[in-house]
Amino acid sequence: MNALTGKERSLFGLPMPLIWGYIATLIFMVGDGLEHGWLSPYLVEQGLTIQQSATLFTAYGAVLAVASYFSGVLTEAWGPRKAMILGLVIWLVGQVLFIKFGLEQHNYAVMLPTYAIRGFGYPLFCYSFLVWVTYRSPQKVLATAIGVFWAAWIAGLYVVGSYFPAYMIPKIGYIGLLWSAVAWVVVGGLIGILVVKGEVGERSTKPKETFKSLISGLTICVENPKVAIGGIVRTINTTGIGALPIFFPLYLNSQYGFTTEEWLQMWGTMWVANIVFDIVIPWISDKWLGWRKTVMWIGSFGCGVMTLVMLYTPQIFGHNFLMLTIAGMLMGAALTGYVPISALVTSLAPDKKGSAMAVVNFGAGLSYFIAPALVGAFIASIGVHGVMWVFAILYFISAILMHFMKLPAEEKREQAGGLAGNLAGSAKG
């Protein structure tokens, strides 16, 4: 089952089941993201070191990376609904154990595995839905459909997930806020499970075929190296931005006096800008600029520049909330340039979209392992400045890698243009 029929289309060529799935993603990610902007500073205040906090997020990221990979292949092997149910259940179990026996008991040994377990949750739920989106969206609006998914994902994780804590922490406290996350995830999870129906291709229940599905994300990287490059680019995409909450608010507070509330407000506003451009940039990419050039220039090069702007803005302007917020908004806009990477990679493997998405999703999850690992490894030796430069350089490397991500049609056009040029040169000679 691929693109939907005309009778099912509703908004921007997208069917209502997808629209409800986007809403479910938003609500689910609110619950998943309520601690994202403040957990690291909170743990440091409770007596942990930055390195211990980074290790916690590294363990979470490692599990998240594995779950992100399996979200693609399990969606093809089991169907999206079963994968989403599994993600919902695991998230709830991990959250309850993390709060009750980890945070409330101030037990780091329990925090580490339980927070990591929770990392299985949202990739299996949200990324399985994203695979469904890639199969069921018309090709001509594929980047737009993926952009709407990321807009919903970001609206939940970073926007509501930032503003809601900023408002509610003084009222119900940090632990109360984490318990409220359970309600958000249950509501979003039930909506998603109810609206996502059908499969994403031919499936087999035979163990041998299921095993083939599980390793298909590995074999496709050998068969089609461009898919592997796309996975690397997707990893870089959220490595830099995913690391910021671990150390940057502490840096802003200690050096320039920014409070946690100011950080959360700036962080949320940055993602509001991202949501706006999550719709605009993919549409421009679909219509004019092209997927590869959008990722190369707006996403990769743009994020490299804006990472440095984020670093040097407080040094130039001091404790200036407005200027830092403007820098954050520009960073949020630049990040949307990466949205077409999913459309590009799946188009490189049209008959194995689930396997291709497994690679892309694995890259997305892997970034949440690499980001805190880099912070933990280098923050003590090269400091905030050095770490920010490392992330900026990674973004610039991403731009270079995109040079090799040409679709077959683009390569044919370039070859035809080169041939025509050679013929014209020969004629003149």
Side-chain angles (χ1 to χ4, degrees):
M1 179 167 52
N2 295 316
L4 293 175
T5 64
K7 294 181 180 179
E8 295 173 294
R9 295 180 182 177
S10 58
L11 185 64
F12 301 118
L14 302 175
M16 283 309 299
L18 261 65
I19 302 302
W20 280 108
Y22 295 141
I23 294 172
T25 297
L26 190 155
I27 297 172
F28 188 100
M29 292 309 299
V30 171
D32 186 77
L34 288 183
E35 89 287 350
H36 189 268
W38 56 263
L39 183 59
S40 181
Y42 172 77
L43 292 174
V44 172
E45 289 177 1
Q46 298 300 307
L48 298 185
T49 65
I50 294 180
Q51 286 78 8
Q52 285 178 312
S53 176
T55 300
L56 183 77
F57 285 98
T58 300
Y60 171 80
V63 173
L64 194 150
V66 174
S68 298
Y69 172 80
F70 282 121
S71 66
V73 293
L74 289 182
T75 299
E76 287 195 329
W78 295 352
R81 177 179 284 183
K82 288 183 179 179
M84 292 169 71
I85 291 173
L86 180 62
L88 172 63
V89 172
I90 292 178
W91 191 96
L92 291 172
V93 171
Q95 178 80 349
V96 171
L97 294 177
F98 175 69
I99 300 171
K100 189 66 180 177
F101 301 103
L103 277 180
E104 290 186 352
Q105 303 296 326
H106 299 284
N107 191 329
Y108 181 72
V110 174
M111 291 182 206
L112 200 60
T114 54
Y115 196 66
I117 288 172
R118 208 193 71 161
F120 274 109
Y122 96 69
L124 288 177
F125 183 87
C126 294
Y127 293 166
S128 296
F129 170 67
L130 178 57
V131 174
W132 194 62
V133 170
T134 65
Y135 270 93
R136 305 206 53 190
S137 301
Q139 183 76 8
K140 63 181 180 180
V141 293
L142 182 55
T144 301
I146 294 171
V148 176
F149 167 83
W150 287 114
W153 188 89
I154 288 164
L157 180 63
Y158 292 126
V159 180
V160 182
S162 295
Y163 287 123
F164 186 75
Y167 177 75
M168 292 301 295
I169 285 173
K171 301 180 182 300
I172 62 176
Y174 293 102
I175 302 297
L177 185 69
L178 288 176
W179 282 118
S180 75
V182 173
W184 286 95
V185 167
V186 168
V187 172
L190 291 177
I191 294 173
I193 290 167
L194 288 174
V195 301
V196 173
K197 298 177 182 179
E199 312 300 345
V200 292
E202 298 296 327
R203 295 197 296 122
S204 173
T205 57
K206 295 180 180 179
K208 184 178 179 180
E209 296 301 320
T210 301
F211 177 74
K212 286 183 178 180
S213 296
L214 293 178
I215 66 170
S216 61
L218 301 176
T219 57
I220 196 174
C221 290
V222 178
E223 297 167 0
N224 192 339
K226 288 183 180 180
V227 173
I229 294 174
I232 295 171
V233 171
R234 183 61 185 87
T235 302
I236 295 172
N237 174 193
T238 41
T239 293
I241 200 67
L244 283 183
I246 299 174
F247 70 96
F248 206 58
L250 295 168
Y251 168 75
L252 292 175
N253 177 263
S254 63
Q255 298 297 318
Y256 302 102
F258 286 91
T259 65
T260 300
E261 288 74 18
E262 286 178 316
W263 159 257
L264 288 173
Q265 290 170 15
M266 185 282 294
W267 189 246
T269 304
M270 179 180 79
W271 293 107
V272 169
N274 182 269
I275 289 172
V276 173
F277 285 96
D278 256 328
I279 308 300
V280 175
I281 297 300
W283 183 78
I284 293 174
S285 176
D286 278 333
K287 296 293 183 180
W288 295 299
L289 188 58
W291 297 339
R292 186 178 66 88
K293 291 181 179 178
T294 299
V295 177
M296 179 186 291
W297 294 113
I298 298 178
S300 303
F301 185 78
C303 283
V305 171
M306 289 314 305
T307 298
L308 299 179
V309 171
M310 289 283 288
L311 171 63
Y312 291 109
T313 292
Q315 295 185 32
I316 297 171
F317 298 100
H319 186 167
N320 190 318
F321 178 74
L322 176 61
M323 294 306 299
L324 185 65
T325 300
I326 291 173
M329 292 173 68
L330 292 174
M331 180 70 176
L335 281 165
T336 62
Y338 276 103
V339 168
I341 190 65
S342 297
L344 179 60
V345 172
T346 53
S347 295
L348 289 167
D351 297 327
K352 296 182 178 180
K353 288 186 177 182
S355 300
M357 279 303 299
V359 177
V360 175
N361 291 344
F362 178 70
L366 188 62
S367 67
Y368 287 95
F369 168 78
I370 293 176
L374 288 175
V375 173
F378 295 114
I379 194 73
S381 57
I382 61 178
V384 170
H385 284 69
V387 170
M388 291 290 276
W389 268 98
V390 167
F391 293 134
I393 291 170
L394 286 174
Y395 282 125
F396 294 138
I397 291 174
S398 171
I400 296 171
L401 291 174
M402 286 308 300
H403 174 74
F404 304 99
M405 290 292 289
K406 297 173 183 177
L407 288 168
E410 185 178 2
E411 290 181 336
K412 288 180 181 179
R413 286 196 302 270
E414 290 185 356
Q415 290 172 0
L419 179 60
N422 291 334
L423 291 174
S426 298
K428 289 180 181 180

